[in-house]
Amino acid sequence: MGDTGPCGPCTEIHFDRIGNRDAASLVNNDDPTCIEIWNLVFIQFNRESDGTLRSLPAKHVDTGMGFERLTSILQNKMSNYDTDVFMPLFDAIHKLAGAGIQPYSGKVGSDDVGKVDMAYRVVADHIRTLSFAIADGSQPGNEGREYVLRRILRHAVHFGHQKLMAKQGFFSSLVDVFVRVMGDVFPELKDNEKKIKDIIKEQEEASFENTLAKGYERFKKAADAVKENGGAVLSGQDAFVLWDTYGYPIDLTEVMAVDFGLSVDMEGFNVPMEEARQKARNARYKAGGKSIVLDANATSQLRNQGLASTNDSPKFQHE
Protein backbone atom coordinates (compact mmCIF):
# COMPACT_ATOMS: atom_id res chain seq x y z
CA MET A 1 0.00 0.00 0.00
CA GLY A 2 3.00 2.32 0.35
CA ASP A 3 6.76 2.52 0.00
CA THR A 4 7.23 0.19 2.98
CA GLY A 5 5.23 -2.56 4.68
CA PRO A 6 3.64 -5.95 3.89
CA CYS A 7 3.61 -6.79 0.20
CA GLY A 8 4.00 -9.51 -2.38
CA PRO A 9 3.30 -10.51 -5.98
CA CYS A 10 -0.24 -10.05 -7.24
CA THR A 11 -2.50 -11.37 -9.93
CA GLU A 12 -5.31 -9.34 -11.44
CA ILE A 13 -8.38 -10.62 -13.27
CA HIS A 14 -9.68 -8.34 -16.02
CA PHE A 15 -12.85 -8.77 -18.06
CA ASP A 16 -13.29 -7.64 -21.66
CA ARG A 17 -16.90 -6.51 -22.07
CA ILE A 18 -16.60 -6.69 -25.88
CA GLY A 19 -14.87 -10.06 -26.32
CA ASN A 20 -13.34 -11.88 -29.31
CA ARG A 21 -10.40 -9.48 -29.57
CA ASP A 22 -6.90 -8.92 -28.19
CA ALA A 23 -7.55 -6.55 -25.29
CA ALA A 24 -4.08 -6.78 -23.71
CA SER A 25 -3.30 -3.13 -24.47
CA LEU A 26 -6.48 -2.02 -22.67
CA VAL A 27 -5.58 -3.59 -19.33
CA ASN A 28 -5.15 -0.91 -16.61
CA ASN A 29 -5.61 1.76 -19.27
CA ASP A 30 -8.88 3.34 -18.06
CA ASP A 31 -10.91 1.77 -20.84
CA PRO A 32 -14.52 1.15 -19.66
CA THR A 33 -14.85 -1.88 -21.95
CA CYS A 34 -11.99 -3.74 -20.22
CA ILE A 35 -12.22 -3.63 -16.45
CA GLU A 36 -10.43 -5.19 -13.49
CA ILE A 37 -12.83 -7.27 -11.42
CA TRP A 38 -10.51 -9.06 -9.00
CA ASN A 39 -7.11 -8.46 -7.44
CA LEU A 40 -5.23 -10.95 -5.29
CA VAL A 41 -2.01 -10.02 -3.48
CA PHE A 42 0.09 -12.85 -2.05
CA ILE A 43 1.40 -11.19 1.11
CA GLN A 44 4.72 -12.79 1.97
CA PHE A 45 7.29 -9.99 2.38
CA ASN A 46 7.83 -6.81 4.31
CA ARG A 47 9.50 -4.09 2.26
CA GLU A 48 11.99 -2.31 4.50
CA SER A 49 12.91 1.39 4.32
CA ASP A 50 16.08 0.50 2.37
CA GLY A 51 14.03 -1.34 -0.26
CA THR A 52 14.94 -4.87 0.78
CA LEU A 53 12.30 -7.58 1.15
CA ARG A 54 12.11 -9.47 4.45
CA SER A 55 10.13 -12.70 4.52
CA LEU A 56 7.11 -12.58 6.82
CA PRO A 57 6.57 -15.34 9.41
CA ALA A 58 2.88 -15.61 8.43
CA LYS A 59 1.76 -15.43 4.81
CA HIS A 60 -1.72 -14.92 3.41
CA VAL A 61 -3.72 -13.80 0.38
CA ASP A 62 -5.28 -10.33 0.35
CA THR A 63 -8.17 -10.47 -2.12
CA GLY A 64 -10.49 -7.77 -3.33
CA MET A 65 -13.37 -8.15 -5.78
CA GLY A 66 -15.36 -5.32 -7.35
CA PHE A 67 -18.95 -6.14 -6.35
CA GLU A 68 -20.68 -3.62 -8.63
CA ARG A 69 -18.37 -4.48 -11.53
CA LEU A 70 -19.04 -8.19 -11.20
CA THR A 71 -22.76 -7.48 -11.00
CA SER A 72 -22.61 -5.51 -14.26
CA ILE A 73 -20.95 -8.48 -15.96
CA LEU A 74 -23.45 -11.01 -14.64
CA GLN A 75 -26.33 -8.78 -15.72
CA ASN A 76 -24.68 -7.96 -19.07
CA LYS A 77 -24.63 -4.21 -18.48
CA MET A 78 -21.99 -1.80 -19.76
CA SER A 79 -22.03 0.27 -16.57
CA ASN A 80 -22.32 -0.40 -12.84
CA TYR A 81 -25.10 2.17 -12.75
CA ASP A 82 -27.28 0.14 -15.13
CA THR A 83 -27.52 -2.78 -12.68
CA ASP A 84 -30.20 -3.52 -10.11
CA VAL A 85 -27.80 -2.23 -7.44
CA PHE A 86 -28.55 1.34 -8.56
CA MET A 87 -31.76 1.26 -10.61
CA PRO A 88 -34.15 1.19 -7.59
CA LEU A 89 -32.47 4.36 -6.35
CA PHE A 90 -32.73 6.01 -9.76
CA ASP A 91 -36.44 5.12 -9.92
CA ALA A 92 -36.98 6.66 -6.49
CA ILE A 93 -35.02 9.79 -7.43
CA HIS A 94 -37.11 10.20 -10.58
CA LYS A 95 -40.32 10.10 -8.53
CA LEU A 96 -38.92 12.92 -6.37
CA ALA A 97 -37.63 14.97 -9.31
CA GLY A 98 -39.46 17.96 -10.71
CA ALA A 99 -41.97 17.84 -13.54
CA GLY A 100 -40.40 17.27 -16.93
CA ILE A 101 -37.26 15.54 -15.61
CA GLN A 102 -36.66 12.38 -17.65
CA PRO A 103 -35.88 8.98 -16.05
CA TYR A 104 -32.25 7.97 -15.79
CA SER A 105 -30.91 7.07 -19.24
CA GLY A 106 -27.20 6.43 -18.62
CA LYS A 107 -25.86 9.35 -20.65
CA VAL A 108 -22.36 10.71 -19.97
CA GLY A 109 -20.24 13.60 -21.19
CA SER A 110 -21.64 15.81 -23.94
CA ASP A 111 -24.57 13.43 -24.47
CA ASP A 112 -25.80 14.24 -20.97
CA VAL A 113 -27.46 17.57 -21.75
CA GLY A 114 -27.92 19.61 -18.59
CA LYS A 115 -25.96 16.99 -16.62
CA VAL A 116 -29.22 15.41 -15.51
CA ASP A 117 -27.93 11.82 -15.58
CA MET A 118 -24.80 12.92 -13.74
CA ALA A 119 -27.05 14.36 -11.04
CA TYR A 120 -28.83 11.00 -10.73
CA ARG A 121 -25.47 9.30 -10.22
CA VAL A 122 -24.23 11.89 -7.71
CA VAL A 123 -27.37 11.69 -5.59
CA ALA A 124 -27.44 7.86 -5.62
CA ASP A 125 -23.74 7.52 -4.81
CA HIS A 126 -23.92 10.06 -2.01
CA ILE A 127 -26.96 8.60 -0.23
CA ARG A 128 -25.11 5.26 -0.20
CA THR A 129 -21.94 6.82 1.21
CA LEU A 130 -23.71 8.78 3.93
CA SER A 131 -25.96 5.90 4.96
CA PHE A 132 -23.04 3.52 5.45
CA ALA A 133 -20.92 6.15 7.23
CA ILE A 134 -23.67 7.13 9.68
CA ALA A 135 -24.51 3.47 10.34
CA ASP A 136 -20.83 2.99 11.22
CA GLY A 137 -20.98 5.79 13.81
CA SER A 138 -19.91 8.90 11.94
CA GLN A 139 -21.96 11.88 10.82
CA PRO A 140 -21.54 15.20 8.98
CA GLY A 141 -19.71 17.85 10.95
CA ASN A 142 -17.22 20.70 10.90
CA GLU A 143 -13.90 18.92 11.29
CA GLY A 144 -11.80 16.28 9.56
CA ARG A 145 -13.54 13.25 8.15
CA GLU A 146 -16.93 14.48 9.32
CA TYR A 147 -16.51 17.62 7.23
CA VAL A 148 -15.98 15.40 4.19
CA LEU A 149 -19.41 13.88 4.86
CA ARG A 150 -20.94 17.36 5.16
CA ARG A 151 -19.50 18.31 1.79
CA ILE A 152 -20.83 15.09 0.25
CA LEU A 153 -24.31 15.81 1.59
CA ARG A 154 -24.28 19.39 0.29
CA HIS A 155 -23.13 18.25 -3.15
CA ALA A 156 -26.07 15.85 -3.32
CA VAL A 157 -28.59 18.43 -2.17
CA HIS A 158 -27.24 20.97 -4.67
CA PHE A 159 -27.39 18.56 -7.61
CA GLY A 160 -30.85 17.40 -6.61
CA HIS A 161 -32.26 20.91 -6.52
CA GLN A 162 -30.39 22.51 -9.43
CA LYS A 163 -30.33 19.62 -11.92
CA LEU A 164 -33.31 17.48 -10.94
CA MET A 165 -35.59 20.22 -9.59
CA ALA A 166 -36.32 18.09 -6.53
CA LYS A 167 -38.33 19.49 -3.64
CA GLN A 168 -37.01 20.15 -0.15
CA GLY A 169 -36.40 17.03 1.91
CA PHE A 170 -35.95 14.76 -1.09
CA PHE A 171 -32.51 13.49 -0.09
CA SER A 172 -33.32 12.05 3.34
CA SER A 173 -36.39 10.27 1.92
CA LEU A 174 -34.05 8.11 -0.20
CA VAL A 175 -32.74 6.39 2.93
CA ASP A 176 -35.81 4.10 3.01
CA VAL A 177 -35.17 2.91 -0.54
CA PHE A 178 -31.48 2.32 0.01
CA VAL A 179 -32.10 0.34 3.20
CA ARG A 180 -34.57 -1.88 1.33
CA VAL A 181 -31.92 -2.56 -1.32
CA MET A 182 -28.97 -3.24 1.00
CA GLY A 183 -30.48 -3.89 4.42
CA ASP A 184 -30.59 -7.68 4.20
CA VAL A 185 -26.87 -7.88 3.48
CA PHE A 186 -25.91 -5.03 5.83
CA PRO A 187 -28.24 -5.34 8.86
CA GLU A 188 -26.62 -2.31 10.51
CA LEU A 189 -28.47 -0.20 7.95
CA LYS A 190 -31.82 -1.54 9.18
CA ASP A 191 -30.78 -1.13 12.81
CA ASN A 192 -29.87 2.52 12.26
CA GLU A 193 -32.41 3.49 9.59
CA LYS A 194 -34.20 6.11 11.69
CA LYS A 195 -30.93 7.54 12.98
CA ILE A 196 -29.54 7.85 9.44
CA LYS A 197 -32.66 9.57 8.19
CA ASP A 198 -32.92 11.93 11.16
CA ILE A 199 -29.29 13.03 10.97
CA ILE A 200 -29.48 13.73 7.25
CA LYS A 201 -32.85 15.47 7.50
CA GLU A 202 -32.75 17.42 10.74
CA GLN A 203 -29.10 18.21 11.30
CA GLU A 204 -27.94 18.81 7.75
CA GLU A 205 -30.39 18.78 4.87
CA ALA A 206 -32.88 21.29 6.24
CA SER A 207 -30.28 23.79 7.41
CA PHE A 208 -28.42 23.74 4.10
CA GLU A 209 -31.58 23.98 2.02
CA ASN A 210 -32.47 27.17 3.87
CA THR A 211 -29.36 28.87 2.51
CA LEU A 212 -29.01 26.99 -0.79
CA ALA A 213 -31.33 29.19 -2.84
CA LYS A 214 -29.91 32.45 -1.49
CA GLY A 215 -26.35 31.26 -2.02
CA TYR A 216 -27.07 30.16 -5.55
CA GLU A 217 -28.60 33.54 -6.41
CA ARG A 218 -25.46 35.20 -5.02
CA PHE A 219 -23.30 32.92 -7.14
CA LYS A 220 -25.39 33.40 -10.29
CA LYS A 221 -25.26 37.18 -9.95
CA ALA A 222 -21.46 37.11 -9.64
CA ALA A 223 -21.05 34.59 -12.47
CA ASP A 224 -23.32 36.56 -14.81
CA ALA A 225 -21.32 39.72 -14.09
CA VAL A 226 -18.08 37.96 -15.01
CA LYS A 227 -19.49 36.69 -18.29
CA GLU A 228 -21.04 40.06 -19.18
CA ASN A 229 -17.60 41.63 -18.82
CA GLY A 230 -16.05 38.99 -21.06
CA GLY A 231 -14.24 37.25 -18.21
CA ALA A 232 -13.75 33.56 -17.55
CA VAL A 233 -12.74 33.48 -13.87
CA LEU A 234 -14.94 33.89 -10.79
CA SER A 235 -13.11 35.98 -8.22
CA GLY A 236 -11.68 34.36 -5.12
CA GLN A 237 -13.51 36.92 -2.97
CA ASP A 238 -16.88 35.87 -4.41
CA ALA A 239 -16.00 32.22 -3.74
CA PHE A 240 -15.00 33.10 -0.18
CA VAL A 241 -18.30 34.92 0.46
CA LEU A 242 -20.16 31.80 -0.69
CA TRP A 243 -18.16 29.73 1.79
CA ASP A 244 -18.21 32.21 4.67
CA THR A 245 -21.83 33.38 4.40
CA TYR A 246 -23.70 30.52 2.74
CA GLY A 247 -21.64 27.46 3.67
CA TYR A 248 -20.74 26.51 0.10
CA PRO A 249 -17.60 24.32 0.03
CA ILE A 250 -15.10 25.62 -2.52
CA ASP A 251 -15.30 22.46 -4.61
CA LEU A 252 -19.07 22.94 -4.91
CA THR A 253 -18.48 26.49 -6.13
CA GLU A 254 -16.02 25.11 -8.68
CA VAL A 255 -18.67 22.64 -9.91
CA MET A 256 -21.20 25.45 -10.34
CA ALA A 257 -18.61 27.60 -12.10
CA VAL A 258 -18.00 24.89 -14.69
CA ASP A 259 -21.73 24.95 -15.51
CA PHE A 260 -21.29 28.62 -16.39
CA GLY A 261 -18.13 28.01 -18.39
CA LEU A 262 -15.98 29.62 -15.70
CA SER A 263 -13.09 28.69 -13.42
CA VAL A 264 -12.42 29.95 -9.89
CA ASP A 265 -9.48 32.10 -8.78
CA MET A 266 -8.18 29.71 -6.13
CA GLU A 267 -5.25 31.91 -5.13
CA GLY A 268 -7.70 34.76 -4.53
CA PHE A 269 -9.86 32.42 -2.46
CA ASN A 270 -7.00 31.06 -0.37
CA VAL A 271 -5.91 34.51 0.88
CA PRO A 272 -9.11 35.44 2.78
CA MET A 273 -9.56 31.77 3.71
CA GLU A 274 -6.17 31.71 5.43
CA GLU A 275 -6.99 35.01 7.15
CA ALA A 276 -10.20 33.48 8.50
CA ARG A 277 -8.30 30.45 9.78
CA GLN A 278 -5.71 32.69 11.43
CA LYS A 279 -8.43 34.68 13.19
CA ALA A 280 -9.92 31.43 14.47
CA ARG A 281 -6.51 30.29 15.73
CA ASN A 282 -5.91 33.64 17.44
CA ALA A 283 -9.30 33.49 19.11
CA ARG A 284 -8.53 30.05 20.51
CA TYR A 285 -5.11 31.23 21.66
CA LYS A 286 -6.55 34.24 23.49
CA ALA A 287 -9.09 32.04 25.21
CA GLY A 288 -6.18 30.12 26.71
CA GLY A 289 -7.04 27.62 29.41
CA LYS A 290 -10.73 28.44 29.21
CA SER A 291 -10.98 26.89 25.76
CA ILE A 292 -11.87 23.24 25.24
CA VAL A 293 -11.17 22.14 21.67
CA LEU A 294 -12.18 18.66 20.55
CA ASP A 295 -11.10 17.22 17.24
CA ALA A 296 -13.34 15.09 15.02
CA ASN A 297 -12.18 11.80 16.57
CA ALA A 298 -12.89 13.06 20.08
CA THR A 299 -16.38 14.27 19.27
CA SER A 300 -17.17 11.04 17.43
CA GLN A 301 -16.02 9.06 20.47
CA LEU A 302 -18.36 11.04 22.73
CA ARG A 303 -21.29 10.36 20.40
CA ASN A 304 -20.43 6.66 20.29
CA GLN A 305 -20.59 6.68 24.10
CA GLY A 306 -24.17 7.93 23.87
CA LEU A 307 -23.54 11.57 24.80
CA ALA A 308 -26.12 13.73 23.03
CA SER A 309 -25.18 16.86 21.12
CA THR A 310 -25.78 20.24 22.76
CA ASN A 311 -29.39 21.39 22.48
CA ASP A 312 -29.09 24.88 20.97
CA SER A 313 -32.85 25.46 20.61
CA PRO A 314 -34.38 28.48 22.45
CA LYS A 315 -35.09 27.76 26.13
CA PHE A 316 -37.72 30.47 26.72
CA GLN A 317 -41.47 30.64 26.14
CA HIS A 318 -43.64 33.54 25.07
CA GLU A 319 -46.59 34.34 27.32
Side-chain angles (χ1 to χ4, degrees):
M1 295 299 293
D3 294 334
T4 61
C7 61
C10 76
T11 180
E12 300 174 354
I13 299 176
H14 295 254
F15 183 83
D16 178 16
R17 294 185 187 273
I18 305 298
N20 296 318
R21 60 175 179 168
D22 182 358
S25 62
L26 304 180
V27 170
N28 289 329
N29 204 25
D30 294 328
D31 190 302
T33 67
C34 185
I35 59 172
E36 177 187 335
I37 60 171
W38 207 341
N39 185 304
L40 301 97
V41 181
F42 299 89
I43 303 293
Q44 54 186 291
F45 302 111
N46 192 78
R47 185 178 293 280
E48 307 294 334
S49 57
D50 61 1
T52 58
L53 296 174
R54 177 174 55 85
S55 182
L56 293 173
K59 300 174 176 60
H60 64 277
V61 179
D62 183 359
T63 176
M65 174 186 284
F67 166 65
E68 280 101 352
R69 295 183 179 192
L70 192 63
T71 302
S72 70
I73 292 169
L74 293 174
Q75 297 181 2
N76 196 28
K77 303 293 185 180
M78 288 297 290
S79 169
N80 299 347
Y81 292 105
D82 295 331
T83 68
D84 58 10
V85 178
F86 281 94
M87 292 310 296
L89 278 173
F90 291 154
D91 292 340
I93 294 169
H94 180 243
K95 291 177 182 178
L96 297 168
I101 300 297
Q102 298 298 314
Y104 180 75
S105 60
K107 293 185 176 67
V108 297
S110 60
D111 293 333
D112 184 15
V113 179
K115 298 183 179 178
V116 172
D117 280 346
M118 182 178 75
Y120 273 103
R121 292 188 288 268
V122 168
V123 172
D125 264 331
H126 289 4
I127 196 64
R128 285 158 47 101
T129 299
L130 284 160
S131 296
F132 277 124
I134 295 171
D136 284 343
S138 188
Q139 72 177 53
N142 290 325
E143 301 287 341
R145 290 169 291 186
E146 296 185 345
Y147 182 60
V148 174
L149 295 180
R150 171 166 287 175
R151 290 168 63 179
I152 288 174
L153 189 149
R154 290 181 171 180
H155 271 91
V157 173
H158 165 74
F159 273 94
H161 285 302
Q162 296 301 324
K163 304 297 183 182
L164 301 172
M165 310 304 293
K167 296 180 180 180
Q168 288 193 355
F170 83 96
F171 191 59
S172 56
S173 67
L174 294 171
V175 172
D176 298 338
V177 180
F178 180 63
V179 172
R180 285 201 301 271
V181 173
M182 289 288 189
D184 289 340
V185 182
F186 298 96
E188 64 269 25
L189 291 173
K190 287 185 176 180
D191 296 340
N192 293 280
E193 182 173 356
K194 185 178 185 301
K195 173 186 173 183
I196 296 168
K197 194 170 184 177
D198 288 347
I199 286 176
I200 292 176
K201 182 178 181 180
E202 297 174 8
Q203 298 191 25
E204 290 297 324
E205 186 176 20
S207 63
F208 183 53
E209 284 179 331
N210 290 335
T211 62
L212 182 64
K214 292 181 181 179
Y216 185 75
E217 287 303 315
R218 174 70 170 79
F219 164 82
K220 188 174 184 302
K221 182 178 179 180
D224 286 340
V226 172
K227 298 193 74 171
E228 288 173 3
N229 293 323
V233 181
L234 186 75
S235 76
Q237 184 59 40
D238 283 327
F240 177 76
V241 170
L242 286 169
W243 173 84
D244 189 43
T245 305
Y246 301 101
Y248 274 67
I250 184 60
D251 52 335
L252 178 54
T253 300
E254 288 183 297
V255 168
M256 294 191 298
V258 170
D259 287 345
F260 278 71
L262 304 174
S263 60
V264 178
D265 177 12
M266 290 304 301
E267 290 187 7
F269 170 80
N270 289 331
V271 171
M273 186 67 176
E274 182 55 35
E275 291 177 354
R277 288 170 176 162
Q278 187 60 49
K279 287 180 181 179
R281 286 192 290 265
N282 291 341
R284 289 196 296 268
Y285 177 77
K286 290 179 181 179
K290 298 179 181 179
S291 176
I292 299 177
V293 180
L294 300 176
D295 62 18
N297 290 331
T299 55
S300 295
Q301 184 177 6
L302 291 175
R303 272 195 299 273
N304 292 336
Q305 292 173 355
L307 186 66
S309 301
T310 301
N311 182 0
D312 292 327
S313 62
K315 306 302 190 298
F316 60 87
Q317 294 181 345
H318 292 287
E319 295 183 357

